[in-house]
Amino acid sequence: MNKNDRLLTVDEAAERLGTGVRFVRRLIAERRIRYVKLGKHVRISESVLTAYVEERTVEPVRTRRAGFGLVA
């Protein structure tokens, strides 16, 4: 976590991820994402969300179609 990071509420984190609040709360409950606990409040750093998305980004697979363009 960068010290210049903004701490997001669960609602803001859900909006940033494009998911529901319930999904973010489940990530927190299952400890699948790092978070900060401030008394009863939970906050998630912007850099943590960015890292979470980057770790789960799937790159496309490039395949070559055998015989493409060949006439038998």
Side-chain angles (χ1 to χ4, degrees):
M1 183 167 104
N2 186 345
K3 69 179 181 177
N4 294 329
D5 273 348
R6 182 166 173 249
L7 294 176
L8 305 173
T9 65
V10 174
D11 290 334
E12 292 170 331
E15 184 177 329
R16 184 80 46 103
L17 290 174
T19 65
V21 173
R22 187 174 177 180
F23 175 74
V24 176
R25 291 201 184 280
R26 187 167 15 122
L27 290 177
I28 293 167
E30 295 173 358
R31 296 188 185 236
R32 296 187 332 183
I33 195 167
R34 290 177 49 209
Y35 62 93
V36 178
K37 185 103 171 162
L38 302 168
K40 66 178 184 172
H41 303 286
V42 174
R43 299 290 185 262
I44 301 169
S45 169
E46 287 180 321
S47 64
V48 169
L49 282 184
T50 302
Y52 180 81
V53 170
E54 287 175 359
E55 290 169 3
R56 282 152 184 82
T57 299
V58 179
E59 297 296 328
V61 176
R62 294 190 178 262
T63 59
R64 294 180 65 180
R65 292 171 44 186
F68 181 72
L70 300 177
V71 177

